[in-house]
Amino acid sequence: MINTIGRRKTSVARIYMTPGNGTITVNNKAIEVYFPFDLHQIVVKQPLALVGVEGNYDVKINVDGGGIKGQAEAARMAISRALCEFDAEHRGPLKKEGFLTRDPRMVERKKPGRRKARRRFQFSKR
């Protein structure tokens, strides 16, 4: 069993990957229930499809924080890292697709004297 972690924005995904029949559970729910949109399911399964091992591993994912897209991309990163630990040959194609790179973009903080991070209050001439 391999245990890895993936992050995106404020989401953190911890996964436990074992050789099996391809079952993916997210927070003790089936992936179809937790990620109802096909797009998010595809994002989570991307690394497995890329290296051609769909249906070879059981993946148990615990995700926390952030939104649904950030959670899906955090899970993708964790699965990619686990695949590299199972077989070092997977590293090349996964790195080429950018699945092993932590996306550093975060929400910019709100500044004092501004409405948002950069948006100023409406200017009134008089």
Side-chain angles (χ1 to χ4, degrees):
M1 179 167 71
I2 300 276
N3 174 21
T4 56
I5 195 165
R7 292 188 180 93
R8 170 78 168 96
K9 291 188 176 181
T10 56
S11 303
V12 180
R14 293 174 316 219
I15 72 151
Y16 302 93
M17 202 165 172
T18 52
N21 58 5
T23 309
I24 301 177
T25 57
V26 185
N27 290 359
N28 298 320
K29 296 178 186 168
I31 189 170
E32 292 79 17
V33 176
Y34 194 85
F35 294 122
F37 295 112
D38 285 344
L39 181 72
H40 299 129
Q41 291 174 33
I42 291 165
V43 165
V44 172
K45 293 174 185 174
Q46 264 180 325
L48 297 165
L50 181 70
V51 296
V53 293
E54 280 181 302
N56 295 8
Y57 296 106
D58 289 342
V59 185
K60 185 175 181 293
I61 308 171
N62 292 321
V63 283
D64 185 47
I68 198 161
K69 184 173 171 73
Q71 288 183 349
E73 292 184 10
R76 176 177 74 182
M77 183 186 190
I79 290 169
S80 300
R81 285 178 169 177
L83 286 170
C84 287
E85 284 187 39
F86 268 115
D87 188 356
E89 289 180 12
H90 295 326
R91 187 168 175 81
L94 290 169
K95 191 159 180 65
K96 188 168 177 265
E97 288 293 319
F99 295 161
L100 297 172
T101 308
R102 163 71 159 102
D103 192 337
R105 296 177 295 174
M106 298 288 278
V107 176
E108 194 173 333
R109 79 174 196 88
K110 187 199 172 299
K111 317 291 189 308
R114 301 273 175 105
R115 203 169 78 193
K116 291 167 65 180
R118 297 187 181 198
R119 174 81 167 99
R120 295 199 162 114
F121 293 113
Q122 185 171 340
F123 178 72
S124 173
K125 201 165 188 174
R126 287 173 195 44

